[in-house]
Amino acid sequence: THVAGIMCGKTQGWARDANIYSMKIFDTGALPVLEALQLVRQFHNSQTNPTVVNMSWGYYKWYPTSHPTKSNSDYHPYRVYSVDAEIEDMIKDGIICVGAAGNSNHIMDRKKDSHYEDKYCTSDWWGDYYVDSGYWEWYPHRGSSPASATGCIAVGATNGADQRATFSNYGGRVDVYAPGRYIQSAWIDESKSSVPGNSGHGLRKLSGTSMSAPQVAGIISCMMQKIVKRKKKNNFSVKNARGKIKRLSSKNKIDETA
């Protein structure tokens, strides 16, 4: 609810004329992730309007016991390659995908960057027991699915002072930053929220790259609305959207190491 309100909400959102479609994953009675993504592709290919998908979710793993530099209360992002492959198929079909970079204050690099090949090993498939030369290899600086999938627009978070939020992942794979600290949006009920006037709905402030990604997705949705009105949709690709967002953003404003 909060994320949808940022992207498309009537009072707090960017793309206020957009149609919103929700999909429930990671919960009781929810769709399996791959099935949900395949249904998005089916929906997109069954109609002619642009589809912009915001994905404020991801995967994390706790560092193993006896890791030389981390405790097992620390966690890092990790990639699920079957999910990445499905995201890449969505993008090939023309769906614009935007993902939250993640909130573990980790580097997320591209193949050409210096930390991409950093790894540690474990003796077990779950990755709970560190060993120097174990069979199972883990790469903590390649980011998280879905944001790190090729072609997905990965969004990090800034605070009110236009600095990188201390929790935000960062690095070469982050395409753009957007506000993600104390962002106000709709809340599912009146618990833990303020209720303006007699509106019957609650507003609440939350922080995270999950709040940053829908801002970018909302801006892209506004762009797509103008493109459709100008009847230029067929001349605008997913790659164009990613490039346009990068061109519109301010350059060299964020100190990623701060």
Side-chain angles (χ1 to χ4, degrees):
T1 302
H2 195 272
V3 168
I6 296 169
M7 182 177 174
C8 306
K10 291 294 185 184
T11 65
Q12 309 293 311
W14 286 92
R16 301 184 182 188
D17 294 327
N19 295 320
I20 305 172
Y21 302 90
S22 66
M23 302 199 79
K24 188 177 182 181
I25 58 174
F26 299 131
D27 201 353
T28 304
L31 288 167
V33 172
L34 295 181
E35 181 179 335
L37 298 177
Q38 289 161 8
L39 286 172
V40 173
R41 288 179 65 198
Q42 290 178 23
F43 165 79
H44 172 75
N45 291 324
S46 70
Q47 48 89 52
T48 58
N49 288 326
T51 305
V52 182
V53 177
N54 179 77
M55 295 174 287
S56 289
W57 52 274
Y59 295 91
Y60 294 90
K61 181 196 174 302
W62 299 107
Y63 276 97
T65 302
S66 303
H67 189 279
T69 62
K70 300 285 185 181
S71 75
N72 59 357
S73 62
D74 295 319
Y75 60 91
H76 65 78
Y78 80 95
R79 296 175 69 172
V80 178
Y81 289 98
S82 58
V83 172
D84 285 357
E86 197 62 52
I87 298 294
E88 289 161 19
D89 284 343
M90 290 167 63
I91 291 167
K92 288 176 184 176
D93 281 2
I95 300 170
I96 299 171
C97 295
V98 182
N103 305 320
S104 55
N105 188 28
H106 256 69
I107 295 170
M108 47 187 292
D109 268 349
R110 300 163 294 182
K111 286 184 179 180
K112 65 181 182 180
D113 296 323
S114 58
H115 293 284
Y116 187 82
E117 295 296 341
D118 290 357
K119 68 179 181 180
Y120 65 86
C121 299
T122 62
S123 61
D124 62 311
W125 181 83
W126 289 106
D128 290 338
Y129 300 100
Y130 172 85
V131 290
D132 189 47
S133 57
Y135 178 78
W136 301 100
E137 297 177 337
W138 302 87
Y139 294 87
H141 296 136
R142 294 187 178 183
S144 167
S145 302
S148 290
T150 301
C152 185
I153 301 170
V155 186
T158 60
N159 60 23
D162 236 10
Q163 302 165 331
R164 180 178 71 88
T166 54
F167 53 77
S168 178
N169 289 345
Y170 60 98
R173 184 58 191 86
V174 177
D175 291 301
V176 67
Y177 287 86
R181 191 78 168 164
Y182 303 123
I183 304 302
Q184 180 169 275
S185 185
W187 192 242
I188 193 169
D189 55 31
E190 295 181 10
S191 67
K192 301 181 181 178
S193 64
S194 61
V195 183
N198 294 315
S199 62
H201 65 267
L203 296 175
R204 187 178 178 187
K205 292 181 180 180
L206 296 178
S207 298
T209 57
S210 285
M211 284 68 248
S212 305
Q215 307 223 35
V216 173
I219 292 169
I220 292 173
S221 298
C222 293
M223 289 165 41
M224 295 308 298
Q225 183 182 35
K226 287 187 176 182
I227 288 166
V228 168
K229 285 182 178 179
R230 294 173 184 170
K231 298 182 179 180
K232 293 184 177 181
K233 175 177 172 285
N234 292 336
N235 298 325
F236 196 85
S237 68
V238 175
K239 187 176 180 179
N240 294 149
R242 191 178 178 199
K244 182 80 170 178
I245 283 293
K246 285 189 169 186
R247 288 194 300 274
L248 289 174
S249 64
S250 299
K251 306 297 186 294
N252 302 317
K253 294 288 186 181
I254 305 297
D255 181 2
E256 290 195 316
T257 61

